Amino acid sequence: MSRSPMPSSSFRPSPARVLARSLPEARWRPGLAAQPFHSEIFAPATEASGAGLALALARDALTSSAESGAVEDTRQILWVQDRQAIKRGGRPCLAGLPREWRHRVIHVAAATPEDALFALEEGVRCRDLACVIGEIAGNPKALSFTASRRLSLAAERHGVRLWLVRLDAEPDLSSARMRWRARAAPSPPPRWNAAAPGNATWHGELFRARAHAPGEWTLSDDHTHLAIARDTDGDFAAPDSVRLARATVGRSLAAVARA
């Protein structure tokens, strides 16, 4: 039995649906539950801004997942570096890692970019890992668009997130869902001691993202969460309020002291 062909107009999406797909969602902010599985961070090797921001973004993603109702993730973290990345920026220092990560990091020192890419792809295929952080220097031929696409597909298929730091590299073709430029920034003044070192702070430029509009932020790690350190006017954001004493409304000070 022959069937009449469907009209061509039935295969065309509505203009509203096309417009909704073309427009990015709301601006990125720390604490979003939906995080991409493959991100890149371009940073100079003369400072630790790339690794620092990758570490902060990874913690933010894992913390946001736990706060959204998921079980706390206590799996291992894989950290892969090629030889040039180690030579230019050094190895991760356990004392500088978050306390809850120090016994969970598996470090791989790869001799070549090819070996590093192999370790990264094997890492994102392993569901026993919470996430993968990689560092590769320059623009090696091995890190082609095809290799980047393999990383994206493997990470999304197996549900293991990857943050790849590109040291002293130019943004070439990549399938990474989110791409950052990072550099060091002045720390906000400490709350209690002006002479004390401030929290680690970076200037982050999100220049490509599938679900968000491009933007720039000054981001700071307060040891528990990733936060925006400066507002849109360039001023430091006000510190969170701290309750130093209980409220005494309707009660005498003597009663509060006895409580």
Side-chain angles (χ1 to χ4, degrees), residues 28-183:
W28 177 88
R29 59 175 176 81
L32 292 175
Q35 299 279 357
F37 284 94
H38 181 194
S39 301
E40 285 186 338
I41 302 172
F42 293 83
T46 54
E47 56 188 42
S49 55
L53 183 56
L55 183 62
L57 290 171
R59 290 184 69 199
D60 183 65
L62 296 179
T63 302
S64 300
S65 298
E67 291 178 348
S68 64
V71 179
E72 182 181 359
D73 199 335
T74 59
R75 293 173 296 174
Q76 304 296 307
I77 293 99
L78 180 65
W79 197 310
V80 180
Q81 294 177 296
D82 70 351
R83 179 180 298 172
Q84 285 299 318
I86 296 175
K87 183 177 180 180
R88 299 185 189 186
R91 300 170 183 260
C93 178
L94 290 180
L97 294 176
R99 186 178 299 276
E100 68 274 14
W101 279 33
R102 295 175 187 175
H103 64 287
R104 298 166 54 192
V105 172
I106 301 173
H107 181 256
V108 173
T112 64
E114 291 82 359
D115 292 341
L117 290 170
F118 174 80
L120 291 173
E121 186 172 347
E122 290 299 307
V124 296
R125 291 177 180 273
C126 179
R127 292 189 174 93
D128 289 331
L129 295 175
C131 66
V132 178
I133 296 177
E135 293 183 75
I136 294 180
N139 294 83
K141 292 182 179 180
L143 188 48
S144 60
F145 179 82
T146 301
S148 176
R149 181 67 174 165
R150 288 174 60 92
L151 290 175
S152 297
L153 294 176
E156 292 171 356
R157 179 178 181 181
H158 297 275
V160 180
R161 291 185 174 90
L162 164 66
W163 285 269
L164 179 58
V165 181
R166 307 284 303 276
L167 297 176
D168 297 336
E170 295 296 329
D172 46 9
L173 290 177
S174 172
S175 67
R177 309 311 190 198
M178 187 174 287
R179 308 185 83 188
W180 293 86
R181 291 187 183 94
R183 67 176 187 270

